[in-house]
Structures are given as C-alpha cells and as structure tokens.
Amino acid sequence: MAIALLAMLAQMERIYMLERAAGARAAKEAHGLPTGRPAKLNATTRAGAAQRIKDGAIPEQITAELGVSRSRLYRELPKHRETTSHEG
C-alpha cells in the first residue's frame, strides 16, 4: 500500500510539473517571447557556412569552427536555401 501511495504522489507531481511548464510556455507566448531551445545557428552563421561550402571548404572544418555536428550543419543548410529563395 505504501508503494501505491508513493506512485500516486509521483504521478500527481508529474501532472503538476506539466501544468507549470504549460503555464510558463503560455506566459512567454503571451509576451511574444520565444519558447523552446534556442537555435544553434542563426541566419548569418548559416549564410556564412553555405558560402564556405560553395567556395569548397570541407564540412568538417566548418563544423569544428562553429561547434556543431555535421548532421546539424546539413539540417541547417536547407533553411538557408529557403530564406534566400524567398528574398529573391
């Protein structure tokens, strides 16, 4: 019975934690603040990386300088292409 009581308290705390997180997220959105994890690369960094790849740089060099993984670099490059195609 003690284990069931502890499990119930843990489940209740989990529900309260999710409610607090949802409330904090809603408050940030109401104030126009960004939610979630910050982006690893911004638009300027993506543009610089895309230009360096176009100039013939090795992706491993770029990832070492930016401090990101190769897969992150390849995920970010299409975002750069999307923003440049909308501008032109």
Side-chain angles (χ1 to χ4, degrees):
M1 181 152 70
I3 293 174
L5 182 62
L6 288 174
M8 183 185 70
L9 290 173
Q11 184 177 5
M12 190 173 63
E13 177 57 32
R14 171 92 174 131
I15 291 169
Y16 289 151
M17 181 186 68
L18 292 173
E19 288 176 356
R20 286 192 304 266
R25 195 176 313 110
K28 284 185 107 179
E29 288 174 356
H31 287 98
L33 298 172
T35 59
R37 184 178 178 141
K40 194 76 166 167
L41 300 176
N42 59 25
T44 307
T45 311
R46 279 195 302 265
Q51 183 61 42
R52 291 204 48 215
I53 286 178
K54 189 184 284 185
D55 292 341
I58 299 172
E60 285 76 12
Q61 292 173 337
I62 299 169
T63 57
E65 292 171 6
L66 297 177
V68 296
S69 66
R70 189 170 29 158
S71 60
R72 167 57 58 194
L73 177 67
Y74 288 135
R75 276 194 300 262
E76 294 289 333
L77 289 176
K79 294 178 187 176
H80 169 69
R81 288 187 207 113
E82 290 173 7
T83 58
T84 55
S85 66
H86 291 292
E87 292 174 0

